[in-house]
Amino acid sequence: MNITVDVNELNTEFIVKLKGEIDAYTAPKLRESLFPISERENVKIIIDLSEVSYMDSTGLGVFVGAFKSVRANNGEFTLVGLSERLRRLFDITGLADIIDIKSGTEGGLE
């Protein structure tokens, strides 16, 4: 399966809507889309995972890297729309304690 990355920019806020599966095959495409944005100063990134059906540890690694880059540049990084399965993945790994995760698609998404 592939991944679709749709990036919408409004000033310093980026809404990134993902669709598909995030794994070793699709993670490079996600990384190419996220990392240039994550290196901007004071950026706010909201990532909508409501249409992500599967994610493995490679996907987690991409999000951790982007999160660290955003934080290093005084930005905000938020995940929204996680399925129960994805939420559990972030909880089990402890990432839910450091990454801002909102329920539903709140946080600027319609």
Side-chain angles (χ1 to χ4, degrees):
M1 174 124 190
N2 287 323
I3 187 168
T4 302
V5 182
D6 183 27
V7 180
N8 293 302
E9 179 180 359
L10 179 63
N11 299 319
T12 60
E13 181 174 297
F14 290 83
I15 298 173
V16 181
K17 183 141 179 73
L18 304 177
K19 182 177 182 179
E21 297 181 354
I22 306 172
D23 56 21
Y25 178 73
T26 60
K29 180 177 180 178
L30 177 59
R31 184 178 290 112
E32 287 172 14
S33 298
L34 281 183
F35 275 65
I37 300 167
S38 72
E39 295 172 343
R40 293 184 181 199
E41 201 61 36
N42 300 311
V43 73
K44 180 177 180 182
I45 299 177
I46 299 168
I47 300 177
D48 181 358
L49 298 171
S50 61
E51 294 188 55
V52 172
S53 57
Y54 173 82
M55 180 167 53
D56 66 10
S57 60
T58 313
L60 287 175
V62 172
F63 288 122
V64 168
F67 169 77
K68 287 181 177 181
S69 179
V70 167
R71 293 299 292 270
N73 291 294
N74 303 310
E76 295 177 37
F77 186 89
T78 305
L79 300 176
V80 299
L82 280 73
S83 65
E84 187 62 38
R85 185 177 186 178
L86 290 183
R87 178 64 195 227
R88 197 167 45 249
L89 184 61
F90 279 88
D91 286 340
I92 289 170
T93 58
L95 292 172
D97 296 332
I98 58 169
I99 295 177
D100 186 19
I101 299 175
K102 304 251 190 260
S103 60
T105 55
E106 63 187 76
L109 295 177
E110 298 296 322

